[in-house]
Amino acid sequence: MKKNEARIKASEITPRELFYARRRFMQLAAGASAAALLPESVLAGDKLADVKTSAYTLPDKLTPMEDVTRYNNFYEFGTDKEDPAKNAGRLKTRPWTVTVEGEVNKPKVFDIDELLKLAPLEERIYRLRCVEAWSMVVPWVGFSLAELIKRVEPTGNARFVEFISLHDPEQMPGQKFSVLEWPYREGLRMDEAMHPLTLLAVGLYGEVLPNQNGAPVRVVIPWKYGFKSAKSIVRILFAEKQPVSSWTQSAPGEYGFYANVNPAVDHPRWSQAKERRIGEFLKRKTLPFNGYADQVAHLYTGMDLIKNF
Ligand SMILES: Nc1nc2c(c(=O)[nH]1)N[C@H]1C(S)=C(S)[C@@H](COP(=O)(O)O)O[C@H]1N2
Ligand SMILES: [Mo]
């Protein structure tokens, strides 16, 4: 859509406030009524309205927005940390639908703007711990994935949920390289997906998700390594069988299905005992379940977490 491209370009060259003031002025000049000024769909950088604070926040010092949006893993846009911020601008996030299907009584294709209104938006400060031993603290905006799951009514056969990211090499130049098998896929066990901490995120720092962070919708599972938190999701599939995620498929000995943050289980090529918080110099000790053990450890009682890494 030409209009969106123009907006992105404008936002790059003018300070954010000026950009919004100008857009509003142009809408007024075009003769729009006051009601029509409310965006029917929201794009990266737009402020999200009516965001409540959440009971699921774990207070921590926030990683600056510049780092959260310029140091990313999003291999669809390249494998360097700066690549997603440079290349994700071309991702078109409207129109966008999320198909929810498989073992559910009420399969549904959600339009993204309908999905945004499914439940009240909450701000949740979560730690994100990458398997590469760095971490961030991000104020996400979204709601529990459980809100969506309840609406599609999983059948008794639904034991796992799979998240499938967009596959479109024209928009995602990294998909022209076979670093991973595309589309990016990740999965959770049903009880993990239903856990209230599992977030369907649509924004960060009070604004619509920047493309490089997984616009227009992604999951965030704060007690698992970052790769479980699939970005730019187009399909959510409920199944009886455990799905094989992209990373497990590419290196099964290195990236397991559970991928719970665990300082006691090293990655075959490096230790997971410590992490570097982006912006900090000294390393921190990594906490079991990334600091969320009180909330989630019970999901794994009786399981061997060395075998099920
Ligand atoms: N579709 C897709 N989702 C993805 C990735 C990816 O390459 N493609 N990278 C994962 C990894 S390894 C991490 S650490 C987080 C990073 O999220 P952030 O860039 O918003 O911090 O996204 C995850 N989700
Ligand atoms: Mo990661």
Side-chain angles (χ1 to χ4, degrees):
M1 213 161 80
K2 280 268 156 51
K3 217 168 120 199
N4 295 355
E5 281 164 26
R7 275 186 193 180
I8 289 159
K9 289 221 180 72
S11 69
E12 276 169 8
I13 53 165
T14 59
R16 189 174 288 137
E17 293 308 317
L18 185 61
F19 169 60
Y20 288 114
R22 199 169 73 184
R23 196 170 90 186
R24 209 178 155 80
F25 172 77
M26 290 190 300
Q27 285 172 320
L28 277 169
S33 69
L37 288 178
L38 292 170
E40 78 286 6
S41 69
V42 285
L43 294 163
D46 281 355
K47 275 257 170 290
L48 286 164
D50 303 323
V51 178
K52 308 196 292 188
T53 54
S54 171
Y56 297 105
T57 270
L58 189 81
D60 211 331
K61 187 167 164 273
L62 300 182
T63 302
M65 191 178 181
E66 288 72 33
D67 293 325
V68 172
T69 58
R70 290 194 179 96
Y71 188 91
N72 303 98
N73 272 341
F74 200 169
Y75 278 16
E76 286 89 334
F77 294 104
T79 52
D80 287 346
K81 299 288 179 262
E82 312 78 43
D83 284 344
K86 277 190 232 153
N87 301 329
R90 68 169 96 180
L91 176 67
K92 238 182 71 181
T93 58
R94 293 295 184 291
W96 189 284
T97 57
V98 180
T99 303
V100 188
E101 60 189 349
E103 288 292 344
V104 291
N105 291 321
K106 294 184 172 169
K108 190 174 159 68
V109 179
F110 289 92
D111 181 80
I112 187 64
D113 291 306
E114 176 189 1
L115 197 71
L116 279 163
K117 291 178 203 121
L118 217 57
L121 295 180
E122 299 179 2
E123 176 168 277
R124 297 192 188 178
I125 298 169
Y126 279 179
R127 298 173 185 152
L128 183 125
R129 168 60 158 80
C130 181
V131 73
E132 297 164 309
W134 50 264
S135 63
M136 295 188 184
V137 181
V138 183
W140 301 106
V141 178
F143 48 79
S144 294
L145 174 69
E147 295 287 345
L148 179 142
I149 296 179
K150 280 186 284 184
R151 284 166 174 84
V152 294
E153 294 180 9
T155 71
N157 293 331
R159 294 181 54 233
F160 295 93
V161 190
E162 187 173 13
F163 307 100
I164 299 142
S165 300
L166 179 68
H167 188 202
D168 183 352
E170 289 312 308
Q171 297 191 74
M172 297 177 144
Q175 289 179 333
K176 290 174 178 160
F177 305 91
S178 45
V179 274
L180 284 174
E181 200 161 296
W182 309 111
Y184 195 96
R185 292 167 176 271
E186 259 310 332
L188 294 173
R189 211 170 59 190
M190 203 57 190
D191 58 341
E192 299 177 318
M194 285 298 290
H195 193 285
L197 277 177
T198 298
L199 181 69
L200 200 62
V202 299
L204 58 79
Y205 269 101
E207 298 180 359
V208 169
L209 270 186
N211 290 353
Q212 59 268 35
N213 294 93
V217 64
R218 63 158 323 155
V219 281
V220 183
I221 306 110
W223 70 95
K224 293 179 181 281
Y225 291 117
F227 70 87
K228 295 298 287 182
S229 298
K231 295 175 167 181
S232 304
I233 293 168
V234 293
R235 196 167 159 232
I236 300 177
L237 182 60
F238 291 77
E240 190 165 5
K241 260 186 62 192
Q242 182 172 307
V244 179
S245 44
S246 293
W247 280 104
T248 306
Q249 190 174 8
S250 73
E254 301 191 12
Y255 310 102
F257 177 77
Y258 283 93
N260 291 318
V261 175
N262 190 344
V265 177
D266 288 343
H267 184 278
R269 292 184 279 135
W270 59 81
S271 164
Q272 293 291 22
K274 290 184 178 180
E275 67 200 56
R276 192 174 65 86
R277 186 68 55 87
I278 298 301
E280 291 181 0
F281 180 69
L282 294 174
K283 286 190 174 172
R284 294 169 172 251
K285 274 191 174 168
T286 287
L287 301 170
F289 298 104
N290 203 23
Y292 300 89
D294 287 351
Q295 292 95 322
V296 301
H298 70 273
L299 297 175
Y300 309 101
T301 39
M303 268 180 79
D304 180 346
L305 294 180
I306 295 172
K307 250 171 77 187
N308 297 288
F309 61 98

